[in-house]
Amino acid sequence: MPDSMTTEPQFSLTPPTVNRSENAPAPATQRKAKLEARRLNFFYGENQALFDISMQIPERAVTALIGPSGCGKSTFLRTFNRMNDIIEGTRHTGEVLLEGTNIYDPRVDVVALRKRVGMVFQKSTPFPKSIFDNVAYGPRVAGVRDRAKLAETVESCLLRAALWDEVKDRLHDSAMALSGGQQQRLCIARALATEPDVLLMDEPASALDPASTARVEDLIFDLKSNYTIVIVTHNMQQAARVSDHTGFFYQGNLVEFGGTQALFTKPREKQTEDYITGRFG
Ligand SMILES: Nc1ncnc2c1ncn2[C@@H]1O[C@H](COP(=O)(O)OP(=O)(O)OP(=O)(O)O)[C@@H](O)[C@H]1O
Ligand SMILES: [Mg+2]
């Protein structure tokens, strides 16, 4: 953590001007925390969904969240871009930090936060617009009007989302005519267009066939050199394939968090072992 963040709180969510390509990635275990939850409790009305969660999410790596249905994975994921704020009657205690800044501080601009912390959902949700307009949506909302600049952004995001070759000749066709797997990659391209540095993915491949799932997994693998990715998945093989770190949740508690390989081969907790060996869940 830079000294400036430990000495005085910083409330600007402007991305640091780091040339990522010059920053050779350090081994995942040595990376600093991009996101952090500190003693986080979360409530839907009277119902507590998360209990005293503390977790550090390393930058430029993939962190998977696993656990049985209803254990709080999506709730936890949504605290990182304050998407839970739009659900009435929710509240939390504790802190959620992005690069050392508490994102629930009243001075934080939530729109700027959500630009930096993009989200991809289980069901792909393209807008009923053209492929081009889907990707250009975020930059246009941010005020970009220049046609050439928009075209450049659309192309680079579709390239990074491994979709460009399939759609470059029909950018002005409706996004709704794409296959499910293409739509999901389009949603990833759309999320990339706001230049986030964190991508939250809630079961991004669960509605896809095996071939499309493999493409999305390859994409996640490629993206992690530049982005911090947090992915919720029900599929333990997928967590083992794509992630560097895994957290196992059970009934709103973080039971175990560690390196993916260690967690799957030598879990420290009996509950983790029972879950990954298929005894429940
Ligand atoms: N919008 C909501 N309003 C009220 N309670 C909610 C809401 N969303 C989730 N919950 C409750 O919070 C708890 C955690 O739900 P959450 O959706 O985070 O679990 P999950 O681990 O993502 O489950 P799944 O694997 O089924 O998606 C559950 O008890 C759920 O009923
Ligand atoms: Mg969920």
Side-chain angles (χ1 to χ4, degrees), residues 17-79:
T17 47
V18 175
N19 183 342
R20 291 179 169 125
S21 60
E22 284 172 17
N23 257 5
T29 47
Q30 294 168 17
R31 294 208 190 133
K32 65 175 190 190
K34 182 79 176 183
L35 295 163
E36 181 175 357
R38 282 193 193 155
R39 310 216 61 173
L40 178 68
N41 293 281
F42 190 89
F43 304 82
Y44 293 99
E46 295 295 293
N47 243 340
Q48 186 164 359
L50 295 175
F51 296 84
D52 202 31
I53 309 285
S54 293
M55 186 184 205
Q56 292 194 342
I57 301 211
E59 69 173 357
R60 280 181 290 145
V62 179
T63 299
L65 309 177
I66 62 167
S69 185
C71 69
K73 306 178 295 295
S74 297
T75 301
F76 184 57
L77 190 75
R78 289 194 301 258
T79 61

